[in-house]
């Protein structure tokens, strides 16, 4: 047999999809499962956005577009991204439209590091698993910066500073953050900016896909910190804000790298779906009621799940500052029921109580000294949240080991 490349064998995955397959298999056997696994809004795309997609089909907008996207969408995305970020000078030609925000993770790493050259990429741990997977597959060295529960899952900028070397080429940031719901505050971002001023060789990939789902005041981007704009690849998109995950539209901007990112798209997807691009244009320019309704609903559900989790034996949960994820600490719950770790806890919770969550190890190596965590995606109805957390509380109570 011909061999599969080392590079392909080094690829990681999103274990959310692996657990999802497990959940689907159990559901197929007739098991009643409440799932908090999947990181996407549980709403359909707004009706006027759906209509725009249908209109594009009917109007014959079926062909390729320029790799960077249709002009109207680049213009709208530039204005939208700038408006969300204190009026940054983002021009339409700085914006590249992709088939989701996800492909830009690889394109950014490929555009800022060389394979096997010892280039280092710093990324948050726990974090979106594709960062580490792509850093390794692209032949760069992954350098995790650890998130700290006592900082509401931000990292300590002093810890970041210690990790930067002359080989550091890219720093990946993600706020609001998947999987913890944590944020980096304006003050923390300013401190990070001051540190990066001393290291001009470092690019920043600002994964701001959850920018509209920020609950504590106005969203603030690292690109707004003096000196950071030119070095920052800002990544945002339609998936989370307008419940369009399956439409696959992301927008990414950088005044220097836009042509390079465009060239990657020419070499891979050619362009994002034209139909989806017209729909995304409507999402940005049309009424925002649906987006605002969804945001409010995530905020309310977040409050509900955090309250319920904090009432659950052996569980404590910080209040997320954004996105739709809760990252409860289950160290004590694991001890109470005799589970070796969060992964054993997750499996038993799924098989014995019918509640599907992800474990911390699905988002990177467990942070030493930070205990055991699981991730709830609370893009689920209030009823499911109440029922799911009640099942988890019953499961823990029923399984408490009696200490002699
Ligand atoms: N970044 C983060 C942190 C995410 O959570 C996700 C989606 N789960 C993405 C990027 C990718 O989003 P898209 O659907 O736009 O590819």
């Amino acid at each position: 047999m011909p061999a599969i490349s080392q590079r392909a064998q080094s690829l990681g995955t999103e274990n959310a999809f692996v657990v999802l397959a497990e959940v689907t298999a159990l559901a197929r056997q007739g098991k009643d499962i409440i799932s908090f696994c999947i990181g996407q809004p549980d709403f359909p795309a707004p009706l006027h956005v759906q209509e725009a997609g249908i209109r594009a089909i009917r109007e014959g907008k079926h062909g390729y577009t320029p790799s960077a996207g249709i002009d109207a969408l680049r213009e709208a995305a530039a204005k939208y991204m700038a408006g969300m970020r204190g009026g940054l000078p983002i021009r339409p030609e700085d914006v590249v439209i992709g088939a989701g925000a996800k492909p830009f993770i690889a394109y950014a790493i490929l555009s800022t590091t060389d394979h096997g050259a010892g280039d280092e990429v710093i990324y948050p741990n726990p974090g979106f698993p594709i960062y580490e997977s792509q850093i390794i597959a692209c032949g760069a060295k992954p350098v995790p910066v650890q998130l700290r529960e006592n900082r509401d899952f931000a990292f300590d900028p002093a810890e970041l500073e210690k990790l930067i070397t002359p080989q550091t080429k890219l720093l990946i940031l993600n706020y609001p953050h998947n999987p913890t719901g944590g944020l980096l505050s304006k003050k923390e971002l300013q401190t990070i900016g001051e540190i990066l001023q001393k290291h001009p060789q470092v690019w920043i990939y600002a994964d701001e896909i959850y920018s509209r789902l920020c609950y504590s005041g106005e969203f603030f981007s690292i690109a707004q910190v003096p000196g950071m704009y030119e070095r920052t690849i800002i990544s945002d998109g339609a998936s989370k804000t307008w419940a369009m995950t399956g439409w696959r539209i992301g927008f990414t901007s950088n005044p220097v790298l836009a042509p390079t990112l465009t060239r990657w798209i020419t070499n891979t997807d050619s362009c994002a779906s034209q139909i989806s691009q017209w729909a995304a244009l409507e999402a940005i320019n049309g009424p925002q009621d649906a987006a605002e309704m969804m945001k409010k609903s995530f905020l309310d559900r977040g409050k509900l799940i955090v309250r319920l989790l904090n009432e659950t034996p052996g569980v404590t949960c910080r209040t997320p500052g954004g996105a739709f994820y809760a990252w409860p600490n289950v160290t004590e719950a694991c001890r109470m029921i005799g589970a070796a770790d969060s992964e054993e806890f997750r499996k038993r919770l799924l098989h014995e109580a019918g509640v599907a969550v992800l474990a911390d190890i699905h988002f990177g190596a467990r942070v030493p000294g930070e205990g055991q965590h699981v991730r709830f995606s609370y893009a689920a109805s209030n009823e499911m949240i109440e029922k799911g957390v009640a099942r988890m509380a019953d499961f823990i109570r029923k399984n408490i080991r009696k200490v002699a």
Side-chain angles (χ1 to χ4, degrees), residues 14 39 99-103 105 128 131 174 176 178 207 209-210 236-240 245 248-250 325:
E14 257 191 82
K102 194 191 241 180
I105 296 170
F128 189 45
Y131 304 144
N174 172 216
N178 178 9
D207 187 336
I209 189 82
Y210 298 100
D236 204 330
S239 284
K240 317 287 173 172
T245 49
R248 310 306 304 131
I249 293 292
Y325 304 113

Side-chain angles (χ1 to χ4, degrees), residues 44-61:
L47 209 57
H48 62 102
V49 171
Q50 299 180 30
E51 293 298 341
I54 293 165
R55 214 164 40 240
I57 294 174
R58 296 253 189 261
E59 288 174 2
K61 292 173 169 151

Side-chain angles (χ1 to χ4, degrees), residues 46-168:
L47 209 57
H48 62 102
V49 171
Q50 299 180 30
E51 293 298 341
I54 293 165
R55 214 164 40 240
I57 294 174
R58 296 253 189 261
E59 288 174 2
K61 292 173 169 151
H62 300 176
Y64 294 126
T65 73
S67 288
I70 55 174
D71 286 347
L73 182 56
R74 293 178 81 189
E75 211 169 287
K79 212 185 267 173
Y80 169 74
M81 290 172 83
M84 285 288 297
R85 295 165 179 79
L88 288 174
I90 303 174
R91 304 162 303 175
E93 61 265 39
D94 303 330
V95 176
V96 183
I97 308 299
K102 194 191 241 180
F104 290 107
I105 296 170
Y107 301 153
I109 299 166
L110 289 164
S111 303
T112 56
T113 65
D114 279 309
H115 192 281
D119 292 341
E120 296 171 5
V121 181
I122 301 177
Y123 65 102
N125 182 51
F128 189 45
I130 300 308
Y131 304 144
E132 188 189 56
S133 168
Q134 284 288 7
I135 294 165
I136 293 170
C138 294
K141 183 177 166 213
V143 181
V145 59
Q146 314 292 15
L147 305 189
R148 302 287 173 197
E149 183 155 4
N150 65 7
R151 304 181 71 98
D152 281 334
F153 304 113
F155 56 80
D156 181 348
E159 282 189 48
L160 169 71
E161 187 157 24
K162 289 198 199 112
L163 297 174
I164 301 176
T165 73
Q167 301 301 329
T168 307

